[in-house]
Amino acid sequence: MFQLFLIAFRNLGTHRRRTLLLGGAIAGVTALLVILMGLSTGMKETLLRSATILSTGHVNVGGFYKVTAGQAAPVVTSYPKVLELVRKEVPELDYAVQRGRGWAKIVSEKSSMQVGIGGVDVKDEPGLHKVLQIREGSLGGLSESGTALLFEKQAKRLEVKVGDTITISAPTMRGTNNTVDVRVAAIAGDMGMMSDFNIYVEASTLRSLYQLRDDTTGALFLYLKDVSQVPQVQARLRDVLAKAGFTVMDNDPRAFWFKFDVVNREAWTGQKLDITNWEDELSFITWTLTALNGLTGVLIFVLLVIIGVGIMNTLWIAIRERTREIGTLRAIGMQRTRVVAMFLFEAMTLGALGTLVGALLGLAVCLGVTAAKVSVPEVVAMFIMSERLNLVVDAGAVVGAMVFITTCTTLISLIPSFLAARLKPVTAMHHIG
């Protein structure tokens, strides 16, 4: 076997021009594949990170409170007690935040619009500091009572800037309308769909708007150290909270705002907790992730077809050029299986070296693009919820791609290798071409 590797290296070195041509093609396709996977993975991670920080935790303890049977509000009462229980029973927890929920009308002197409102304690929200791009003001200003954070599109539509006052109007749990005046403390860069329909206000301001007590919030967002633990944590919390005396709703894998009609039709009053995960709350972006996966699959398939056809043609040419050499080897006693093995080892060696170079090149491009903080067009930013292009390379996926392309290269060489081995020595030695 070692001799075959030596022969393979010798042949690759002897036919340097063809080796560089074919190896460069393999390296180029591998680099494209690594960049494509990095782009796809980076877009999915960016989308999920932004969406989960802006609107949902990995696991959520939300719920509904009904003063009357037909009127539900998305609030959790006595949340400090629930939070203490969660921290005790969920060792997988990285951190947890409480987030008020609401839907209201915001009015400026020039315009108005309907938006979802998140009530935040910004000092306890490390995720917001990571994903929000503040254009004016400061995120720290949102820690003051009576303040709000808008996104650029909203500020432009309302024609307001940092320091201006806007009015928020919404019905309370008992059905009466209430308003609060808030000062614009910060304006953040747009983040796709999320920035079209959401603003953030200081937590006590939202409670004041809806006339809620200090120990009431909209939901507890739980962020885990390992997202793969979500199903186990979600199932465990349902049991733990039920045993602790809380009434837990049946599992309904939909975002909380889709459940109002069902909850309002039920006859119960009081508090029911609802345990959901990020996939439930972000079901509206599932099509985006599906489209990204589908597009990646199609492009990878096209790349593999291109490299397969290219390798096959090049090997055909290479074997044709070496027909007389094959005849000589057969004439001095080399068996057909050794001829096949010689070409297979040559193709495998070329594939391994080409994919290694391509993977390193693709990795360098991914790291360079991420470090350069390349901006994306507005239409792309709307889908990935970020203005920056972030390419994420998964080491396992890159190694898998290298092994796959090398295997394909080796297998593709089987046909021309068998044809070379079948040549009669005398015919091969007199071949002209």
Side-chain angles (χ1 to χ4, degrees), residues 167-237:
T167 300
I168 304 177
S169 174
T172 66
M173 290 178 60
R174 296 187 181 278
T176 57
N177 284 327
N178 191 25
T179 63
V180 294
D181 290 334
V182 298
R183 177 175 57 85
V184 178
I187 296 175
D190 293 325
M191 299 191 68
M193 292 179 287
M194 289 292 177
S195 55
D196 289 340
F197 305 109
N198 283 288
I199 70 168
Y200 297 101
V201 298
E202 191 272 332
S204 66
T205 305
L206 185 137
R207 294 193 186 97
S208 175
L209 174 66
Y210 288 102
Q211 299 289 290
L212 301 175
R213 298 189 313 186
D214 290 344
D215 64 348
T216 300
T217 189
L220 296 177
F221 291 176
L222 314 182
Y223 295 94
L224 308 183
K225 299 169 188 172
D226 183 357
V227 181
S228 65
Q229 298 295 318
V230 165
Q232 297 90 322
V233 171
Q234 186 178 4
R236 192 189 321 142
L237 274 180

Side-chain angles (χ1 to χ4, degrees), residues 33-99:
L33 192 58
V34 171
I35 294 170
L36 186 60
M37 290 192 299
L39 179 63
S40 174
T41 305
M43 290 176 70
K44 283 188 284 188
E45 285 197 4
T46 301
L47 174 61
L48 291 177
R49 183 180 68 250
S50 299
T52 53
I53 288 176
L54 292 178
S55 68
T56 174
H58 297 151
V59 178
N60 307 297
V61 182
F64 296 92
Y65 190 91
K66 298 172 68 174
V67 177
T68 61
Q71 190 169 11
V75 297
V76 176
T77 59
S78 303
Y79 83 83
K81 181 180 177 181
V82 180
L83 184 57
E84 181 182 359
L85 191 61
V86 166
R87 285 177 170 152
K88 178 181 177 182
E89 299 293 339
V90 184
E92 301 92 341
L93 185 66
D94 184 13
Y95 68 94
V97 300
Q98 63 83 21
R99 188 80 65 87

Side-chain angles (χ1 to χ4, degrees), residues 1-13 345 349:
M1 182 176 293
F2 182 69
Q3 287 182 333
L4 290 175
F5 271 117
L6 290 179
I7 294 173
F9 275 112
R10 187 211 64 184
N11 288 335
L12 291 175
F345 272 80
T349 303

